[in-house]
Amino acid sequence: MHVLLARLPGSRVRLRPSDGGPTAAPDPAATQDVEAVGATAVVRRLEDARHPRWTWDDTDAWYPGLLADGVRLDRAHDLRLAHRVLRTSAFTRATELATAPPGSWDALEPVAARDPRAEPRGRQHESLFDLDDVPAGSPSPPGSPDPAPDDLDPAAELAAQQAAVAGSTAPGRLRLLLAAESAGALAAAEMHHAGLPWRADVHDAILTDALGPRPAEGRRPDRLEALADRIRVALDAPASLNPDSHPDLLRAMEYAGVGARSLRKGELERLDHPVVAPLLEYKSLHRLWTANGWHWLDQWVRDGRFRTDYVVSGVVTGRWSSTGGGALQLPKGVRDAVRADPGWTLVVADAAQLEPRVLAAMAGDEPMAAAGRDGDLYAGIVATGAVASREHAKVGMLGALYGGTTGVSGQVLPRLRRTFPRAMGLVEDAAVTGERGGVVTTWLGRSSPPPGQAWDAAQSGALGDGAAPDAATLARSSARAWGRFTRNFVVQGTAAEWALCWIAAVRRRLWALDDGAAGRAPEPFTTRAHLVFFVHDELVIHAPAELADAVAREVREAAAEAGRLLFGDFPVDFPLTVAAVDAYADAK
C-alpha cells in the first residue's frame, strides 16, 4: 500500500492511501487532512499498523522531520528520484512519461543541493512539518481547482511512473532500481540524522601535531609558515613570495631554474631541487589546514557528530555526492577522530574490487567471475596466465574500465581480451557506442546523457569541405573522450546500483537486530545499530559493542543478497573486508 503525502495551505497535511496498482486512484474515503502539528502521530500509527510505502515528492523534504520526532519508516517511494530515472532510461523510451514535454518534476532539485551555503538540515528540521522550511516547489494541494498539468501532484505522478514502468522493456529491473534509490534516500537521511561520531578533541590534537597551535584568524599555522620560509630560501625569493599564489610560485621557480611546468605532485617528485621537499610538505599540510582544519571542525562537528547532506545519485552514473564538509573525501589523516561512543563500536565494511566483479556479472563472463572466487580477483587473473603480476592485472583492468591504452595498460589489454572476451567486449562495445554519440544503460536501467552540443559541433565541424585542418583531430579526440565516459558509465553505474541494494539490505537487517546498550545516538537509533557513513563501496555502521559480530554477519549476507538481486544465480562473489574498531583509522 502507498500513502501519498502532500502539504496543504493553512499548515495542514494530506495523507492519501492507495493500493499502488498502475491504474489505482487514491481512495477519497480514506484520505486524511490533518494539522501539521499532529501529522507525526498519524504517520507513526500508520507505519506501525500497515508499514506502507510512503510516497512523496522528495525524501529530503519530509523524512528529516520525522526522524527528528523519533519516527523511522521502513519503505518509501521518492517521486523526484524515480522521475529522473524514468525520464531518461532507454527502457522507458516509448512511454508517455519519457516523451512528455518538460514540466515541474523535471525542474525539482534535491533539497540538499538547493543551497550549499545553507546551514546543515539537521538544525533546520525541528519537527515534521515546520512550514517555514517548506522548499520552493513543494506540491500544490491535490484536488485544487483546475490544476496546471505540470503541477507537482504526487498522485498523478505516481500513476504516470507506474504506467512507465509497466510499459517499459525491463519492468523488473526498473522496479528494483526505483526501490533501491528510494531506500538509499531513506538511509542518507538517517545517516545525516544519526551523524558520524566525531571526537573534536582528537581532531584538534591531530591538527596541532601536524600544524602547530591553532593560529589567529588570517594567519598561517606555525608549521606552514616555517615551510613557506624554507621555500623562499630554496628559491632565493623575497619574503613577500606567497606560496599559496600558484602563478607567483611558478614564476619564482622558473627564475630559480627549477624546471617545473606545474605544481602537480608527480612532476615535482621527478625534479632534483632543494625546493621540492618543503614544497610537497607545504602542499600536503596546506590541504589539511584548508579542507579539514579548525574552521572545518567549528563548522561541521556539533555535539560529537559530523553531519553531511548526502545527495543520492548526485553523480550522473548514480553514485552519491555530498554537500558540506567534503564527506566523500575524508583524508586518512583525520579519520582517527572518528571514534565510537563508549560501549559501542564502528563496523567498517569495504567491498573488494567491486567494479571488475560487476563487469564480470554484467557480461556473464564466468572465467572472470571464477578468477575472483578466492577473494583477490587480481591474483586470480594472474593464476589464469593472462598476465605476469598482480600489478599488471590491476593496471590492465583499470585500463579496461577507464579507457587506458598506453604504458602497461596498453600492453596487457590484448591478453585480457583473449582471456575474458565477454567482459572486455562489453566495455569496448560501450565505448564504441559513446564514440558514435549513442546512449548506454546500466544493468537496472539508468541511461547515460547524450554527449551535448560541444561534442555535436566537433563532429559536424570535421565533415564539411571547408573544415579547419585540425577539425578532424578535434572530432576524433572528443569522440574518444566520450567513449571513455560511456565505457565506464555502464560499470560504475551498475556498481552504484549494487551498492544501493547493499545499503537497502543492510538497513533492513540492522533494524531487525535486537536492541543493544543505550548510546548517545539520537532516537530512533539510541539502542540500535545504524549506518553512519557511506562512500562508493564502503559502509560504516555504529553499533553497540555486543552486536558487533551480528552486524558483521548481516553486512556480509547483505552483500550476497545484493548480488542475487541484480544478477540472480550467476556465480560471482562480492567479498567484503569487515573490521570492528574503536577508531575509523584502525580499519585500514
Side-chain angles (χ1 to χ4, degrees), residues 226-249:
L227 287 168
D229 288 338
R230 288 178 57 192
I231 289 168
R232 296 181 189 111
V233 169
L235 295 176
D236 194 22
S240 60
L241 174 65
N242 179 7
D244 300 335
S245 170
H246 287 192
D248 290 352
L249 183 57

Side-chain angles (χ1 to χ4, degrees), residues 157-369:
E157 177 63 19
L158 177 62
Q161 291 185 9
Q162 291 173 328
V165 171
S168 72
T169 57
R173 293 189 184 186
L174 280 174
R175 288 190 186 101
L176 177 56
L177 175 55
L178 300 188
E181 285 270 280
S182 294
L186 292 175
E190 289 166 3
M191 284 190 278
H192 177 96
H193 173 72
L196 183 64
W198 201 284
R199 287 276 300 276
D201 59 328
V202 174
H203 191 147
D204 178 75
I206 291 169
L207 296 175
T208 301
D209 182 64
L211 299 168
R214 181 171 186 166
E217 191 69 29
R219 295 184 61 84
R220 293 189 185 94
D222 291 349
R223 186 71 175 274
L224 282 179
E225 197 59 66
L227 287 168
D229 288 338
R230 288 178 57 192
I231 289 168
R232 296 181 189 111
V233 169
L235 295 176
D236 194 22
S240 60
L241 174 65
N242 179 7
D244 300 335
S245 170
H246 287 192
D248 290 352
L249 183 57
L250 281 170
R251 279 194 295 269
M253 292 171 72
E254 181 180 7
Y255 180 80
V258 177
R261 293 172 298 176
S262 76
L263 297 176
R264 294 189 182 93
K265 181 180 179 182
E267 181 174 350
L268 292 174
E269 288 176 335
R270 292 192 293 268
L271 300 175
D272 182 16
H273 191 278
V275 77
V276 171
L279 181 53
L280 287 174
E281 186 177 1
Y282 184 93
K283 283 166 58 68
S284 175
L285 293 179
H286 187 270
R287 189 177 304 112
L288 171 65
W289 178 47
T290 55
N292 298 98
W294 288 280
H295 180 71
W296 182 95
L297 186 59
D298 292 343
Q299 184 174 8
W300 294 107
V301 177
R302 294 282 188 280
D303 302 321
R305 293 293 188 269
F306 165 48
R307 291 179 171 88
T308 189
D309 283 312
Y310 290 102
V311 182
V312 177
S313 300
V315 179
V316 69
T317 59
R319 277 188 167 187
W320 291 14
S321 62
S322 67
T323 62
L328 302 188
Q329 295 89 31
L330 284 183
K332 292 181 180 179
V334 300
R335 290 184 180 183
D336 195 45
V338 182
R339 301 284 184 98
D341 291 342
W344 285 50
T345 191
L346 299 173
V347 179
V348 182
D350 188 3
Q353 302 146 348
L354 176 59
E355 289 189 0
R357 294 172 190 277
V358 163
L359 172 58
M362 293 177 69
D365 195 316
E366 292 192 11
M368 187 168 162

Side-chain angles (χ1 to χ4, degrees), residues 365-545:
D365 195 316
E366 292 192 11
M368 187 168 162
R373 199 67 38 78
D374 293 330
D376 187 345
L377 182 141
Y378 298 135
I381 291 175
V382 174
T384 68
V387 296
S389 70
R390 187 182 184 281
E391 182 63 23
H392 281 190
K394 182 176 182 179
V395 172
M397 192 56 63
L398 291 175
L401 294 172
Y402 292 91
T405 58
T406 59
V408 173
S409 179
Q411 294 171 17
V412 302
L413 274 175
R415 303 174 197 172
L416 295 178
R417 290 190 192 102
R418 289 193 295 269
T419 308
F420 311 116
R422 299 190 70 167
M424 297 301 105
L426 186 148
V427 288
E428 287 170 5
D429 286 348
V432 170
T433 299
E435 289 172 5
R436 294 173 177 170
V439 168
V440 297
T441 300
T442 62
W443 187 253
L444 294 184
R446 191 187 308 276
S447 293
S448 64
Q453 294 181 351
W455 188 92
D456 291 340
Q459 304 310 306
S460 61
L463 298 177
D465 293 337
D470 60 349
T473 300
L474 176 61
R476 286 193 298 270
S477 174
S478 60
R480 285 195 297 269
W482 198 253
R484 287 192 295 273
F485 166 72
T486 52
R487 170 192 293 270
N488 183 245
F489 182 96
V490 291
V491 182
Q492 186 182 112
T494 303
E497 292 166 353
W498 179 92
L500 276 172
C501 291
W502 183 35
I503 288 172
V506 168
R507 177 179 178 270
R508 186 190 73 247
R509 289 169 175 270
L510 292 180
W511 192 252
L513 291 177
D514 292 337
D515 290 355
R520 298 173 180 171
E523 289 290 354
F525 303 114
T526 303
T527 61
R528 300 272 193 167
H530 53 277
L531 290 161
V532 291
F533 189 64
F534 168 61
V535 53
H536 305 323
D537 54 7
E538 182 176 274
L539 286 174
V540 180
I541 294 117
H542 194 212

